[in-house]
Amino acid sequence: MLIGLSVLFLVLLKTIKPLIEDLSKHYLCTGSAELLLKYRRLKSEVEAMRKLSHTISAQQEFAKWARNDRSRQKGEKSLQETKQLILQEQTKKTWSIKVAVNVGLCLMTLVVLIFLRGTPVGYLPKADTFWVPVQSLVSYPCAELTAISPCAFYLTAMVAFSYVGKLVTNFRKQSVWI
């Protein structure tokens, strides 16, 4: 039963973290209302200036075209600066959410490992004298030599999950999804 709970906890740990990060990207990380309104206003002004530039002949009405071009370039520069401010604000919010999620998950993991450190997750078969040092490391906080401690199980499972995650990521990069 403890093995099932441990595996369930590890699976939840690996699935909840990306879900919370996705939610933070899509729903919680919008820029401030003032910056978004300024960005939309500047974008519509720059678009209007572009349309006006296409209607003005550069050879026949050069002064009007040059004035419009300078104001359009100034508007585009302001638009880029506003976009950078919005991205910086979103990055700060996303980073703070990621830190909060990681701290929460680490604290939950530590609490589970501290309170269940003496409870064996499973048992290894009795080994020869060659495997006794390995078994003593694997069963460290537990009293029995053939037991698997939660710490050893957690570390092994995390290494396995990260390895499988890397394999899946590499597979996705190499294969063509239809």
Side-chain angles (χ1 to χ4, degrees):
M1 179 166 153
L2 193 56
I3 292 176
L5 288 174
S6 300
V7 170
L8 179 67
F9 178 73
L10 288 172
V11 168
L12 285 175
L13 187 73
K14 285 295 190 177
T15 55
I16 287 175
K17 187 176 172 183
L19 289 175
I20 291 174
E21 289 176 358
D22 286 345
L23 285 174
S24 70
K25 283 180 187 175
H26 296 294
Y27 298 109
L28 302 175
C29 293
T30 57
S32 68
E34 297 168 357
L35 283 175
L36 289 175
L37 288 174
K38 182 179 176 183
Y39 180 78
R40 288 183 187 135
R41 182 181 50 81
L42 284 171
K43 193 172 182 179
S44 64
E45 288 176 3
V46 167
E47 189 61 37
M49 287 182 220
R50 280 190 191 135
K51 287 180 182 176
L52 184 63
S53 288
H54 292 302
T55 61
I56 300 172
S57 172
Q59 288 116 3
Q60 294 174 357
E61 302 175 73
F62 181 74
K64 186 177 179 182
W65 178 84
R67 217 177 310 123
N68 184 48
D69 191 52
R70 281 192 300 271
S71 62
R72 181 185 55 82
Q73 288 176 353
K74 191 177 186 182
E76 285 177 352
K77 184 178 177 184
S78 179
L79 187 68
Q80 288 295 340
E81 290 170 357
T82 306
K83 188 175 182 180
Q84 287 298 324
L85 288 173
I86 290 171
L87 288 174
Q88 286 175 354
E89 190 174 299
Q90 288 176 348
T91 304
K92 285 179 187 176
K93 287 180 182 180
T94 303
W95 186 80
S96 62
I97 288 170
K98 283 183 179 181
V99 167
V101 167
N102 285 332
V103 166
L105 290 174
C106 287
L107 288 176
M108 283 177 22
T109 304
L110 282 175
V111 166
V112 167
L113 289 177
I114 287 171
F115 285 117
L116 297 176
R117 71 177 174 258
T119 309
V121 175
Y123 295 96
L124 295 171
K126 295 206 183 238
D128 298 331
T129 56
F130 179 72
W131 293 106
V132 171
V134 174
Q135 280 186 338
S136 64
L137 286 175
V138 170
S139 66
Y140 165 61
C142 301
E144 300 173 39
L145 186 62
T146 59
I148 301 173
S149 70
C151 295
F153 178 78
Y154 177 76
L155 290 174
T156 306
M158 290 306 289
V159 168
F161 275 131
S162 65
Y163 183 71
V164 168
K166 287 178 185 177
L167 285 176
V168 168
T169 304
N170 289 336
F171 178 73
R172 284 184 182 168
K173 286 180 182 177
Q174 293 173 358
S175 65
V176 178
W177 293 85
I178 297 174

